[in-house]
Amino acid sequence: MAWIEDYQKRISYQDSINFLAALSEKEYFIITDNNLEKLYQKRLFPTNNYFSIEAGEASKTMETINEILEILLENNYSRNVIIIGFGGGVVCDIAGFVSAIYKRGCALALLPSSLIAMVDASIGGKNGVNSLNFKNQFGTIKQADYINFDLNLLKTLPLSEIANGMAEIIKHGLIYSLSYYEKVRSYDISRDDKSMTQLSEIIKESIAIKLTFVSGDENDREQRRFLNFGHTLGHAIEKNHNIGHGKAVLWGMIQAIKLSFKLRMISEEQFRELKADLDRLNIVSNNLINWDEISRALLSDKKRKSENVTFILLKGVGNPLVKEIELDVIKQVVMTDDENLLRNS
């Protein structure tokens, strides 16, 4: 628990302007995206020491990283510079990667602006960019020195983006505890004060849960692997179908639950209940799924150790496990609808 307590000292919950003001006397460089630049440029970064990427997954490339590194060098930023990532998951990944490799490493501050970045990308130190065809193939593990959660930023998000972030929160419930899962599965996404207050509490709990899995396993060899629940297949469709990370992971969790049932780890009743819960937020139709694309992505997965694919499955809510699964079994489950799966199990 000492690791978590130390990490919590890096976390603050304040207005972004106040947070940046505290860093303004130091050497810093901000990475953001063009959407946030339009909204906050005059208020948050009136000087020219920032770089704005095109919003979206397409910017997570080595070309973007190299462009930022060259700007830092051309402007004589020292190794004492604080790289500040103000944005969603893509910005957090890019800022983390840049801070890890510029001058062999410099300080990192993250100001996540989306729900999914608050509960996922900004916590735990993982960062990465995509290869030409596959997601997060290059990167490092670099813990942020400062993380500020300005919950007022969530008020500018469309409800669809709140739903995108809720997928990672639901994942935390499924792998951590039934009580937390029951709380988040019943959360009603809206804009009223009661809902936003409840969301703030949920965010803080979700951050603590992720830190619990990361503590003692920073390099993703043991318990941290449980956080990959839904990601193996989620990543396989995210890039090719150009959908949000949370929405892709939600579909991946549905397939992992189907696999858990197929392998007799959960009962039919558990399967039906969990599947119904996740289907309420799911936007991905299996009619759009191309197995050849998925299999190529699975076989390129950086966590794969053999011809089988490493999956996180459930023996029940709050009871995850790691299992190697043959590609043919995965195909049978992914390409089979619920009723046929139930009939043949």
Side-chain angles (χ1 to χ4, degrees):
M1 298 302 289
W3 191 93
I4 296 176
E5 291 167 3
D6 175 68
Y7 204 96
Q8 291 285 5
K9 295 175 184 176
R10 311 176 194 189
I11 293 174
S12 58
Y13 294 87
Q14 57 181 303
D15 184 275
S16 298
I17 292 178
N18 295 333
F19 179 79
L20 287 173
L23 298 178
S24 62
E25 295 181 0
K26 301 178 181 180
E27 185 182 18
Y28 69 91
F29 185 82
I30 298 173
I31 299 171
T32 188
D33 67 42
N34 55 353
N35 289 336
L36 290 165
E37 180 186 15
K38 292 172 187 174
L39 286 171
Y40 298 106
Q41 193 265 338
K42 292 181 180 179
R43 291 176 56 214
L44 296 184
F45 29 93
T47 58
N48 291 322
N49 58 335
Y50 74 90
F51 181 86
S52 179
I53 66 169
E54 287 292 321
E57 192 75 13
S59 290
K60 277 181 58 171
T61 64
M62 290 300 295
E63 286 76 15
T64 301
I65 299 294
N66 286 333
E67 186 174 0
I68 296 170
L69 292 172
E70 290 299 328
I71 289 171
L72 291 168
L73 288 171
E74 288 169 8
N75 289 277
N76 297 314
Y77 283 96
S78 74
R79 67 177 302 174
N80 295 319
V81 66
I82 302 173
I83 301 297
I84 301 175
F86 175 58
V90 171
V91 167
C92 289
D93 268 14
I94 290 173
F97 197 3
V98 168
S99 74
I101 62 176
Y102 183 68
K103 303 284 187 180
R104 296 195 177 97
C106 53
L108 172 65
L110 296 177
L111 287 79
S113 64
S114 67
L115 178 57
I116 198 163
M118 289 182 182
V119 299
D120 185 37
S122 65
I123 298 293
K126 278 189 181 180
N127 59 71
V129 298
N130 304 328
S131 69
L132 185 63
N133 296 308
F134 303 113
K135 186 175 168 68
N136 289 345
Q137 295 298 299
F138 318 116
T140 65
I141 293 178
K142 171 71 163 70
Q143 301 296 344
D145 299 273
Y146 316 94
I147 312 171
N148 184 64
F149 299 98
D150 182 353
L151 301 179
N152 288 319
L153 296 174
L154 298 178
K155 295 177 181 178
T156 65
L157 290 179
L159 291 180
S160 61
E161 275 306 302
I162 299 292
N164 193 41
M166 284 303 299
E168 285 285 350
I169 289 173
I170 288 170
K171 179 201 76 178
H172 289 157
L174 285 169
I175 64 173
Y176 183 69
S177 75
L178 181 59
S179 61
Y180 185 68
Y181 176 69
E182 292 290 347
K183 176 188 292 188
V184 298
R185 71 182 283 274
S186 60
Y187 172 70
D188 180 27
I189 301 171
S190 69
R191 289 278 183 225
D192 61 59
D193 290 343
K194 180 180 178 181
S195 177
M196 293 305 292
T197 298
Q198 186 182 7
L199 181 59
S200 297
E201 295 169 355
I202 285 171
I203 289 169
K204 291 176 182 179
E205 286 187 72
S206 201
I207 290 168
I209 288 169
K210 180 162 186 180
L211 286 175
T212 298
F213 283 104
V214 174
S215 64
D217 186 25
E218 185 179 27
N219 293 314
D220 203 15
R221 298 290 185 264
E222 297 177 6
Q223 65 185 20
R224 183 171 184 164
R225 291 194 293 172
F226 295 147
L227 290 166
N228 293 319
F229 180 63
H231 284 61
T232 305
L233 279 166
H235 282 173
I237 69 165
E238 181 177 353
K239 194 168 188 294
N240 288 333
H241 291 268
N242 193 30
I243 57 177
H245 176 72
K247 295 165 187 174
V249 167
L250 187 80
W251 180 83
M253 288 192 287
I254 290 171
Q255 307 314 310
I257 287 167
K258 289 171 67 175
L259 277 165
S260 299
F261 171 68
K262 173 73 174 177
L263 297 175
R264 302 183 186 281
M265 295 175 183
I266 59 174
S267 67
E268 180 177 335
E269 180 182 6
Q270 288 174 306
F271 166 71
R272 288 185 182 276
E273 288 180 356
L274 294 175
K275 179 76 164 43
D277 285 345
L278 298 188
D279 275 342
R280 289 187 297 110
L281 293 174
N282 183 40
I283 64 165
V284 181
S285 169
N286 267 35
N287 295 330
L288 303 176
I289 298 303
N290 181 305
W291 175 252
D292 289 339
E293 289 179 355
I294 288 177
S295 62
R296 282 197 299 273
L298 291 177
L299 292 175
S300 75
D301 194 303
K302 55 190 175 294
K303 296 179 286 294
R304 192 169 64 89
K305 296 179 180 179
S306 66
E307 289 306 307
N308 296 333
V309 180
T310 303
F311 261 82
I312 309 302
L313 302 180
L314 293 180
K315 291 191 287 185
V317 176
N319 193 3
L321 78 158
V322 180
K323 190 168 180 64
E324 301 288 319
I325 303 179
E326 296 176 359
L327 203 60
D328 284 346
V329 174
I330 300 168
K331 180 180 181 179
Q332 290 171 22
V333 170
V334 171
M335 305 308 291
T336 300
D337 62 40
D338 292 358
E339 293 310 312
N340 282 325
L341 180 66
L342 288 164
R343 191 179 301 118
N344 297 324
S345 295

